[in-house]
Amino acid sequence: MIKIYLGLTFSSPLLPEPPATAAGELYLDYPGLVRYLEHFHALSRNPTNREALRTEQYRQLIEHHLSKATETPFYAASFAADPLATAEDLLERRDELLEAGYRLAAPLSTGTPARITVLHELEHLLLEAEQSFQLLPGLADRLNALLAALHDRRHPALDLRVHEPLDLLPPGLRRLLEALATAGDKVQFINSTPEPAPSGDLGAWQEKLGGLLSGREESGTRALRGDGSLIVIRAERETHIAAYLARMVRDNDNWRPGVLMTVRNQTLDTALLMEGLPSMGVPSTSLARPSLQVLKLVTAFLWEPVEVQRIMEFVSLVTKPLDRRLGQRLAEHLADTPGLFGARWNFAVEQSFREMEERKYPAARRRRAREQYEFWFRRRRYPRDGKAPKSEVRSLFVFLRNWALEAFDEDKEQSGLIVLSAQAERATELLDAQPETELSYLDVERLVRTIYQPAPTQFQPTEQGALPAAFAPASVAQLPDSGQDELERLIWWDFVETDPSYFFSNYYPPEIEFLRAGSPHGCCQVSSPEQRNQLQLWQNLRPALTPRRQLLLCIPRRVDGTEVEPHALMGDLEAAFSAEDLARITVDIDEAGQPSGLLSDLRLPGFQPVPVRPLDPPEAQVVISRPDALQPRERETPSSIDDLLFYPHKWVFRHQLGLRGTPILSIASENRLRGNLGHLFIEQLLEEVSQTDGRVTRAQVEAWVDDNADRLLRQQGAVLLEYGQEPDRVQFLLTMRKSAWTLVNYIQQSGWTVRGSEQELEGQLANLDGQVVRGRADLVLERTGTDGVPEAAVVDLKWRGKTTFRNLLRNGGDIQLALYAEFLRQQGSGRVHTAYYILRDALMLSRNELAFSGAETVPVDEDHAVIQRETVQKILATHEWRWEQLGQGVLEIRCKETIADLEDLYLDLEHDALLAMKDDTSPFDDYRSLIGLIR
């Protein structure tokens, strides 16, 4: 006789294999028992993970029913909104009735409720011989086939030990157990409410909970004594509790409790491993992770406008059907300029392939990388409000499946790729089953949501000697405990509240009365929400009622940094006993106290106070032990010169030590995005203007912006083309129309011609020992003055910040413009003017109106040419001073916290000859942690 322990949570694809038992013993759940019996009766089983295909088959059936209905069915509105979700709900109702014994195939009887009548009609359509509809068998169909075959008695004699009470079991399982008992198999129910522990705190609480289950009156209140049988362990974080328990297990060889871990995470297992103890086999990742990430992103390549954020997520994935280096390069591009197929995009792509050749990548790998790029990015896209051919959608999942299998062949440890290939295959099966030839955006997204199912968690093998673990509350009955028949000790690891389950009935009260009353279709007892709630309560009480000697409840205040609430049973515990009683059984690890009497028979972890030593604040200057290692670079840029002059530590860290932060692969901020787009619009507009004979009108400028907006936004600002971004896009284009025309008008009215946009300028400064400085000027203009002297103007384009740049002009802090003006003079440009143009405000800022009539001026005492020369002299002097400091091994750390110390150090400095130093922290300092600002 085969002994089977039957429990609703004893076995599941989401749980590890049940523990090894003696020969002839099995732990099974309801579906597992059906599969076990099907094997003996030679019944065909539905292939695994085909629920999505069943849903699609039922959808087609419903669509046919809707087309033939003479009256509007109750599901019509829902089906029009979401066909697959409606089909899934109706299929669930159909399976629930069949599982409970209701005969949908029988002829309709008088008085059948309208909604149940629709299910009858659907079933009749399914069974009609002239129709070609098919429906894969679900658990309900398999159960009814099994019940019909049980009279043959092909299975061995069974001794079934049922864990849950009969009245809480699903109707289908109750029917199966009744049939097995009638056929001669032994069916018995384990005592669902065990007797409480004979004495102690644990027994007192179990007595309270037993009364809650049975509804009996309490005989009296037993005070908690703190005898160690019931313990509440509290801490701020779950890691603190894990370290405490792991040390207890390590130091007490005979203390080996079971562990209930309803939320599977590695915290406790990692703590045990760090103490040299065996692993419980809890996984760190799920097999579903690759499918969770890749499967939901590939459909973004079908539609336009491009969903930049989803494309960004795709190219940033560690596991993806795209070359890793190419994906990294594209992610960096999208972070800065969120758009596709512009000049910078094409350069990034081709540069990646050139690097592959330089690195001697195998030709097959380069070819595959090129094919992957062409497949994903060079495919035809379809309007999001339109439809895409089903063949195009299918090709995505076929490509994904083939790639997953090939990648798994190359790396057998990536077992999640097998799950991904299986889900991609289910997607193609579902598409093949659909009669439609085109799919909308919502159809494709619904398809992905339908075929995605949680994949099994990959549990590692449990190491010998590890603590026995259960992963569902009612499964603690499976835990062995040193060969004892009963569980002696239990750690409820995550005694915290998880998301509650809400149960709703599929049927109205009159429908339930009809089903239970009995009819030609059979009496049907469907599970009510009350029964499901009672089952959940019964399961949640198992961990508290099962252990006989000791129960530890672990309650962190935060898990993974997020605040959590204690389990609902903690409220029952607080209601049953006084605050003084609870204090006797509580151990607060963060208070580093020793529990008196609670765990007196065990060696407990000791606590040692560690003094808190705050990290040192930033120092005004640090000493460089090898100053001769710092050498001037062959070529600097205006930006790097700015760092050297004002924030030397940034220049040393970046350009001498080569410390560069990993780029944050996220879409550029709003202001940065608009600034880059504004530069792009102006650059290409001025190229057109420079090639046009005669003056350009405002209408022509605005027409150019409108005509080229879509192309430029696709290349570098596709975010503004996405759904819901229309107000921002309209506002940006209105701003650009006004700003572009204002700039062109300034240029034309003042007689300037465009010499270059994003033009490279290079020069040498007199006393910098041949130091070359090279940069790119946003806009360079030229003209001949009224006196015949050639003139030039350098305009720096900014998106916003008129107050900041007005102050730079007023204080002579426009270093970049001063350097560009000096370089133009060295090239023979004669008089050179400088200005800032604020795109958002369509505002030209300069020191006078000599270059641009009508510009907003910043009054200064001296001529602009004198100020430019003085600024260059101060740059030279400051540069020389900084190198003197570096030569002496002194590196200045300039930030808000060191300003006062620096002022004291520089009391004797000749400040008038130098640039005015900044009195705040650099807004773009990547090295704040190195200088002590972050501590």
Side-chain angles (χ1 to χ4, degrees), residues 309-323:
Q309 188 62 50
R310 294 179 69 184
I311 302 295
M312 179 73 162
E313 292 177 15
F314 177 86
V315 297
S316 302
L317 291 176
V318 176
T319 304
K320 58 182 176 291
L322 187 69
D323 181 79

Side-chain angles (χ1 to χ4, degrees), residues 794 796 801-815 817-818 833-838 843-848 855-864 867-868 871:
V794 185
D796 199 0
K802 58 183 179 181
T803 302
T804 300
F805 298 109
R806 186 183 288 114
N807 291 335
L808 289 179
L809 291 173
R810 180 180 293 111
N811 301 326
D814 52 336
I815 292 177
L817 289 178
H833 306 272
T834 59
Y836 289 108
Y837 185 70
I838 312 301
L843 178 67
M844 185 73 76
L845 288 174
S846 62
R847 290 189 174 90
N848 51 52
E856 181 173 319
T857 60
V858 179
V860 290
D861 295 334
E862 297 181 343
D863 181 72
H864 72 281
I867 295 176
Q868 288 176 3
T871 300

Side-chain angles (χ1 to χ4, degrees), residues 419-698:
V419 178
L420 176 58
S421 68
Q423 294 193 346
E425 183 177 7
R426 287 202 297 275
T428 58
E429 290 177 349
L430 187 56
L431 286 168
D432 292 340
Q434 293 179 341
E436 292 83 0
T437 59
E438 293 182 323
L439 300 174
S440 68
Y441 177 86
L442 292 179
D443 291 335
V444 175
E445 293 304 306
R446 166 55 73 180
L447 180 141
V448 173
R449 290 183 58 186
T450 302
I451 62 101
Y452 167 73
Q453 294 179 0
T457 304
Q458 187 179 22
F459 284 83
Q460 305 298 327
T462 302
E463 297 181 355
Q464 186 176 1
L467 298 182
F471 299 92
S475 296
V476 295
Q478 294 176 272
L479 293 178
D481 187 37
S482 304
Q484 302 292 328
D485 292 335
E486 296 180 323
L487 179 63
E488 295 288 318
R489 297 177 175 86
L490 177 67
I491 297 173
W492 194 332
W493 164 243
D494 41 18
F495 192 65
V496 296
E497 186 63 65
T498 56
D499 293 335
S501 298
Y502 300 102
F503 305 112
F504 300 95
S505 176
N506 287 326
Y507 308 99
Y508 299 139
E511 294 172 337
I512 295 177
E513 291 178 7
F514 169 80
L515 294 172
R516 293 181 177 177
S519 67
H521 312 109
C523 181
C524 175
Q525 297 287 335
V526 294
S527 294
S528 66
E530 293 78 13
Q531 287 175 308
R532 296 182 184 181
N533 281 315
Q534 289 174 8
L535 174 61
Q536 187 179 62
L537 173 62
W538 187 92
Q539 291 174 335
N540 283 337
L541 290 178
R542 292 307 92 196
L545 295 174
T546 303
R548 312 313 300 152
R549 292 182 56 185
Q550 190 177 58
L551 175 63
L552 284 76
L553 308 174
C554 303
I555 310 178
R557 297 179 184 87
R558 294 176 182 272
V559 174
D560 296 330
T562 303
E563 290 188 6
V564 294
E565 294 294 329
H567 194 278
L569 286 179
M570 190 62 195
D572 295 310
L573 184 61
E574 292 172 341
F577 303 102
S578 66
E580 292 78 8
D581 285 349
L582 293 177
R584 294 191 191 101
I585 66 169
T586 300
V587 178
D588 196 321
I589 295 175
D590 294 332
E591 293 181 0
Q594 297 295 327
S596 58
L598 284 180
L599 300 167
S600 57
D601 57 334
L602 299 176
R603 290 181 58 193
L604 301 178
F607 292 88
Q608 181 176 354
V610 177
V612 177
R613 178 184 177 275
L615 296 176
D616 295 331
E619 297 184 11
Q621 293 179 342
V622 296
V623 177
I624 303 174
S625 59
R626 292 169 48 203
D628 56 324
L630 300 179
Q631 297 296 326
R633 297 197 303 160
E634 179 180 352
R635 183 177 290 108
E636 295 284 357
T637 66
S639 296
S640 64
I641 286 289
D642 189 89
D643 285 341
L644 177 60
L645 301 182
F646 294 113
Y647 298 100
H649 70 274
K650 289 177 59 179
W651 184 84
V652 170
F653 287 154
R654 177 179 292 272
H655 301 295
Q656 294 291 310
L657 300 182
L659 302 179
R660 295 178 180 270
T662 302
I664 300 176
L665 300 182
S666 59
I667 303 301
S669 63
E670 178 181 343
N671 288 319
R672 183 179 177 187
L673 172 64
R674 283 158 175 71
N676 291 338
L677 283 173
H679 277 72
L680 182 65
F681 272 79
I682 296 299
E683 177 186 355
Q684 297 200 11
L685 169 64
L686 293 182
E687 286 182 5
E688 294 274 342
V689 171
S690 63
Q691 299 173 11
T692 302
D693 295 331
R695 295 176 66 85
V696 177
T697 66
R698 179 169 189 162

